[in-house]
Amino acid sequence: MPSFIDQYVLKVHGACDLACDHCYVYEHADQSWRAKPRTMSPSVAQQVAQRIAEHAGRHAIPTVRITLHGGEPLLLGVARLRELIHTLRSVLDGVVRLSLHIQTNGVRLDPAFLELFAESGVQAGISLDGDRAANDRHRRYANGRSSHAAVLRGLALLRRQEFRPLYGGLLCTVDVANDPISVYEALMEQVPPRLDFLLPHANWAHPPPRPSGVSTPYASWLGRIHARWIADGRPVPIRLFDALASAAWGGGSGSEAVGLRPVALAVVDTDGSWEQVDSLKTAYDGAPATGMSVFTHSVDDLARHPGVAARNEGYAGLCATCLACPVVRVCGGGHYAHRFRPGNGFDNPSVYCADLKRLASEIPAARMRGIAVPRPTDPTPPRVHRLPDGAFDAFASGAGTVQGTKALADMQLSLTRALVAGLDPRHDSTSDLAVAAAAGRQLLMELDSSHPAETAEVLRHPFVRTWAKDRLRREASGGAGDDPQGGTGDGPRDRAHIAGVAAAVAWHAGVTTRLPLPVRNGLAHLPGLGAVRVDQAEHTTEVTVRGRSGPPHGWIGVRRLITPWLPVALDDLDPYRVPPAGPVVPHDDIALDRLSPRQWTAWQIALSRAGRELTLLVPAYAAPLRAASRVVVPVRPMPGDPYLHALGGRAPFGAVALATPTRTTDTPAALLRHFQSAKLDALTDAYVFFDTDGPASLAVPWRTAPVSPREALHGAYAQVALAELWQARAGAPPREGTPGGSRGRERLRSADAAAAFRRSLNWADAAVDTLAAGAGTAPAGARFLAGLRTAIDRLSAGPVPAAAPGRAPGARRAGSST
């Protein structure tokens, strides 16, 4: 579970001016609201703020999100609400970045409230279930009167230019009795910046309404909206759909409704009591209670409460049915409150299990299918790449197979498609970079429809994935590092890189096109192909691509090594060739820029020799390496620099970052080590290897300081492959034509190799034991460790020549360490 809490819901008013019959506060099992104060007092607000500030300071939390809630928070009135917001800001500003929100039914929204929100930096989310007929099924006044017209008046105010930045989005509770397309269209008429659809709160004691004869009515309802949303070009983010797609490729869902990543959230009721998430009110009377108060307990105390911990246990908190389900990583067992059944509490699948299974399969598959708008009449089902039978175990116990490696590459293509499709298509600026981003996205969509093979070829390029993954990470974190005005900073330039991706597809497809490309350090880049040198210091430049008939003026191409041993490109141009290490690290200090002809010749020789040695000595590894490797990135040699070691582990699948070869460089070992790391990274994109509550660090023999379980597994996997290489080197016959005087040196090399073999094997053996004993492995991780153990036992039983007397293992060929 998380060690901190960074999201809070404050119940500032305990009453409501509507009588919604699906409200979890007033209409479900927990009725504790009856004994609580009507409003949150200033003393409670002050104490809440101090508790949050204390917790944020202790854990160095960068941003805290607070949502003002109810009941109906606008019943507090403008004056009381201003006082409460002032209290929060006076305590928290300067301690932590405060993201303030309010969730309201909108019927009382007026210019006075919106002016308060504008001066206080508050975003307003509005609850609306669709058109009048849909909304009036549940959201009515106590006398039965419709609330729809009042909500629309409030939304009209939010859409005004001066208040538009305050518009947080719309929240819609699903009712399968409503027509989904009518609901979607009615919501879109309000021009929301984002949407969210909530499954109505229900559990096994009080199941949701289900039309007879329909097994998955909620998945069908949401699926129709998803198809329409995709056909419309995904005009606004829809939280549930984006959460499912994000969880499918291993990211956090950002939602309690789906996914396994913990959601660190706490609720404060009007009396100052700490409560668990509100939706638990649907389970039984007193379900959300903790017995704690902001006056008696800190946020750290709350985080340790068993009920809070139970909601954030990942796999450990799931029932046996969920653990055996193939889509559990995506749906995460569904909303915790929806699992409740009298008699065994929350140890059940969600009451929406069948619907979630379908949504968790179909929505990510549709996202992964492609960027282009799907044709409604296309009968071809969405294709999601998976490993063939036996491939996982083949990877675990050694090199894997060429077929499995190609399938892994296909899975990475699916992931890249999902990443690119998940990028925010909106461009609120009219800058030249925003225009380039819009033109590039449109062209890419068209080319993906007309030239899917060529689009896939470009999306397979490792640095397209690097770019998209980092871009999506920035968007998920609120655009960290972006220019807030949509101007010419790195954020807008990164968004506009999609134009370079589209231009590269046009090149491969032989399509003539002209479009603006972003300029970075005097170059406009086409990933995988090269760059156009630009003389003028502009943010964008118009580039004409004439297919393969000839490069544009000022063209600098990516060099390619033409050899049967290792046919790869050597990319010293792409701006995304070195992934950021957390905070953005400029590649200029690490990656080498354009190599001289003499340097390029040295790289050709080194890579060709490395490919030949691997092919002759460890063909089982060399064949998959050739099948997957697309590009080598030359980086500066930095002996002992931990960042360089980490670089190989972060290079995307299909790419290898290597230091400039020298006479003492072991390029074959470096290629093998980094290839193992890239394969394992790709596997962890598809499988969960470790439980969330595993140890933070483990001791391994090749590092003086403890490392994470992930690093330990990467190191052990690399050492097994290196042991195979050293074993082959130790047993290799003398090279043809070796003079008699050199045979002693050959025997010495063989002895050194034998010592290095035993060292790598011992290191791998110790690391696998450590991981198996205390890493908290998930089922896939345990299976992978079992395969590694098989490989280690196999190598231990093989013949190895004796080491030279008096020589320490690793006295030479230090390039084998991880």
Side-chain angles (χ1 to χ4, degrees):
M1 63 172 289
S3 59
F4 60 85
I5 292 176
D6 60 0
Q7 297 183 46
Y8 300 86
V9 173
L10 307 190
K11 298 291 189 172
V12 300
H13 203 287
C16 189
D17 43 8
L18 295 184
C20 307
D21 58 15
H22 57 15
C23 180
Y24 58 82
V25 176
Y26 306 110
E27 302 296 332
H28 284 265
D30 182 80
Q31 294 291 300
S32 59
W33 63 273
R34 296 179 183 276
K36 301 284 177 69
R38 183 61 60 94
T39 63
M40 179 175 284
S41 69
S43 62
V44 169
Q46 179 75 24
Q47 185 67 15
V48 169
Q50 290 175 349
R51 288 296 192 191
I52 295 173
E54 165 190 292
H55 185 70
R58 178 176 296 125
H59 295 275
I61 300 172
T63 302
V64 161
R65 177 188 175 107
I66 295 179
T67 300
L68 309 180
H69 210 282
E72 171 49 49
L74 297 189
L75 286 173
L76 200 61
V78 172
R80 288 285 304 280
L81 205 52
R82 175 179 281 108
E83 179 185 2
L84 186 144
I85 293 170
H86 174 75
T87 297
L88 295 175
R89 287 220 172 270
S90 63
V91 174
L92 292 168
D93 284 348
V95 176
V96 66
R97 180 179 177 272
L98 180 55
S99 177
L100 264 178
H101 303 259
I102 191 166
Q103 187 65 38
T104 170
N105 58 36
V107 299
R108 291 177 177 264
L109 204 58
D110 63 19
F113 278 116
L114 291 174
E115 287 164 7
L116 168 62
F117 299 161
E119 68 187 46
S120 306
V122 179
Q123 278 206 326
I126 309 298
S127 299
L128 181 69
D129 288 349
D131 57 19
R132 176 166 180 161
N135 200 67
D136 286 355
R137 283 186 186 275
H138 305 286
R139 299 187 183 278
R140 298 184 301 271
Y141 290 99
N143 62 4
R145 187 165 51 91
S146 170
S147 66
H148 189 254
V151 180
L152 293 195
R153 282 194 297 271
L155 286 168
L157 287 172
L158 266 177
R159 293 197 303 273
R160 281 166 43 174
Q161 184 176 359
E162 66 267 33
F163 298 134
R164 176 73 188 183
L166 310 176
Y167 195 176
L170 296 179
L171 181 66
C172 172
T173 300
V174 174
D175 187 331
V176 293
N178 295 323
D179 177 69
I181 301 305
S182 296
V183 168
Y184 170 79
E185 290 176 343
L187 296 176
M188 290 302 296
E189 285 177 4
Q190 304 307 314
V191 199
R194 58 190 57 84
L195 291 176
D196 196 10
F197 290 97
L198 297 184
L199 293 172
H201 287 308
N203 53 50
W204 292 103
H206 302 283
R210 291 186 180 277
S212 60
V214 183
S215 59
T216 56
Y218 293 89
S220 297
W221 196 94
L222 288 163
R224 288 186 61 194
I225 290 180
H226 183 259
R228 170 64 182 274
W229 178 63
I230 292 292
D232 287 349
R234 296 171 39 247
V236 299
I238 295 184
R239 185 185 184 196
L240 176 61
F241 300 156
D242 290 339
L244 287 165
S246 178
W249 58 262
S253 69
S255 168
E256 279 203 310
V258 295
L260 282 168
R261 297 285 182 90
V263 176
L265 182 144
V267 177
V268 182
D269 215 328
T270 54
D271 63 348
S273 57
W274 287 119
E275 290 198 342
Q276 301 174 62
V277 64
D278 283 30
S279 54
L280 289 176
K281 292 178 180 292
T282 62
Y284 56 90
D285 196 24
T290 65
M292 299 180 178
S293 164
V294 296
F295 295 102
T296 58
H297 293 82
S298 69
V299 182
D300 284 308
D301 293 332
L302 177 68
R304 290 189 289 267
H305 184 275
V308 176
R311 289 192 300 108
N312 294 299
E313 289 180 340
Y315 280 103
L318 297 178
C319 67
T321 302
C322 290
L323 289 173
C325 180
V327 298
V328 64
R329 175 179 179 173
V330 183
C331 80
H335 204 297
Y336 188 75
H338 298 170
R339 306 175 199 171
F340 178 75
R341 186 196 298 267
N344 66 341
F346 299 93
D347 189 24
N348 307 287
S350 168
V351 73
Y352 293 102
C353 180
D355 295 280
L356 289 172
K357 274 187 179 180
R358 182 174 164 189
L359 290 170
S361 298
E362 293 182 358
I363 287 179
R367 181 74 65 89
M368 290 178 181
R369 187 181 186 185
I371 310 156
V373 176
R375 296 181 295 274
T377 57
D378 188 350
T380 306
R383 183 182 182 190
V384 179
H385 296 106
R386 294 183 174 88
L387 286 181
D389 292 343
F392 184 92
D393 296 320
F395 283 125
S397 59
T401 63
V402 170
Q403 180 190 20
T405 303
K406 289 181 176 178
L408 207 56
D410 287 340
M411 292 167 67
Q412 289 290 291
L413 172 61
S414 291
L415 173 59
T416 303
R417 283 189 175 278
L419 291 169
V420 175
L423 296 176
D424 190 346
R426 297 172 300 163
H427 53 99
D428 299 327
S429 168
T430 58
S431 71
D432 50 359
L433 287 169
V435 171
R441 184 177 184 85
Q442 181 62 35
L443 177 61
L444 187 57
M445 291 173 63
E446 294 169 1
L447 290 172
D448 190 33
S449 181
S450 60
H451 296 83
E454 290 80 3
T455 303
E457 173 63 22
V458 173
L459 294 182
R460 286 181 186 275
H461 188 64
F463 307 139
V464 173
R465 183 160 58 257
T466 303
W467 157 73
K469 195 168 188 177
D470 186 55
R471 184 66 244 156
L472 201 62
R473 178 185 63 81
R474 289 174 181 272
E475 290 179 4
S477 62
D482 284 4
D483 184 332
Q485 303 302 320
T488 58
D490 282 344
R493 187 175 283 108
D494 288 341
R495 280 192 291 272
H497 186 64
I498 197 169
V501 176
V505 176
W507 180 301
H508 282 283
V511 172
T512 298
T513 187
R514 182 174 177 83
L515 76 166
L517 302 186
V519 177
R520 190 187 300 266
N521 298 325
L523 297 174
H525 297 272
L526 277 69
L529 296 171
V532 178
R533 191 177 298 283
V534 179
D535 295 329
Q536 71 272 22
E538 300 291 340
H539 304 130
T540 64
T541 186
E542 291 280 337
V543 174
T544 300
V545 175
R546 296 183 177 85
R548 300 179 181 180
S549 61
H553 175 70
W555 180 249
I556 309 170
V558 169
R559 292 160 168 152
R560 301 186 183 280
L561 180 64
I562 309 300
T563 169
W565 308 112
L566 190 65
V568 294
L570 190 139
D571 198 332
D572 48 13
L573 294 169
D574 197 294
Y576 303 95
R577 62 191 184 275
V578 174
V584 176
V585 177
H587 83 265
D588 303 331
D589 296 332
I590 300 160
L592 291 172
D593 289 324
R594 192 63 171 176
L595 301 179
S596 69
R598 184 173 180 176
Q599 290 173 315
W600 165 229
T601 300
W603 274 97
Q604 286 179 287
I605 294 170
L607 291 173
S608 183
R609 286 176 175 173
R612 182 178 185 276
E613 182 178 0
L614 292 174
T615 301
L616 295 176
L617 295 185
V618 284
Y621 284 88
L625 189 150
R626 282 195 303 274
S629 297
R630 299 173 67 90
V631 61
V632 171
V633 178
V635 297
R636 302 182 190 282
M638 292 181 289
D641 189 325
Y643 178 73
L644 182 57
H645 290 295
L647 183 64
R650 287 196 340 274
F653 187 80
V656 176
L658 295 178
T660 302
T662 66
R663 293 177 63 86
T664 60
T665 300
D666 192 345
T667 304
L671 277 169
L672 201 57
R673 180 174 70 246
H674 293 324
F675 180 54
Q676 291 295 93
S677 185
K679 283 191 298 184
L680 189 49
D681 273 339
L683 286 169
T684 55
D685 281 336
Y687 299 89
V688 175
F689 276 53
F690 298 103
D691 290 331
T692 56
D693 56 353
S697 59
L698 299 169
V700 293
W702 60 87
R703 287 280 189 269
T704 56
V707 300
S708 69
R710 174 194 175 279
E711 291 174 284
L713 183 60
H714 273 71
Y717 194 43
Q719 293 300 336
V720 167
L722 291 171
E724 298 228 28
L725 176 61
W726 288 118
Q727 184 183 53
R729 282 172 169 170
R735 289 169 290 185
E736 291 185 16
T738 302
S742 299
R743 294 187 185 276
R745 287 194 295 274
E746 290 288 342
R747 285 193 295 272
L748 188 60
R749 291 192 188 98
S750 178
D752 286 343
F757 162 77
R758 280 194 293 276
R759 177 197 59 208
S760 288
L761 196 62
N762 289 340
W763 283 358
D765 186 46
V768 167
D769 283 347
T770 300
L771 284 161
T777 52
R783 183 174 171 183
F784 196 84
L785 286 178
L788 274 180
R789 170 55 58 201
T790 299
I792 291 168
D793 292 345
R794 170 177 55 81
L795 288 168
S796 299
V800 181
R807 277 193 179 267
R812 195 169 170 277
R813 294 275 199 183
S816 66
S817 66
T818 296

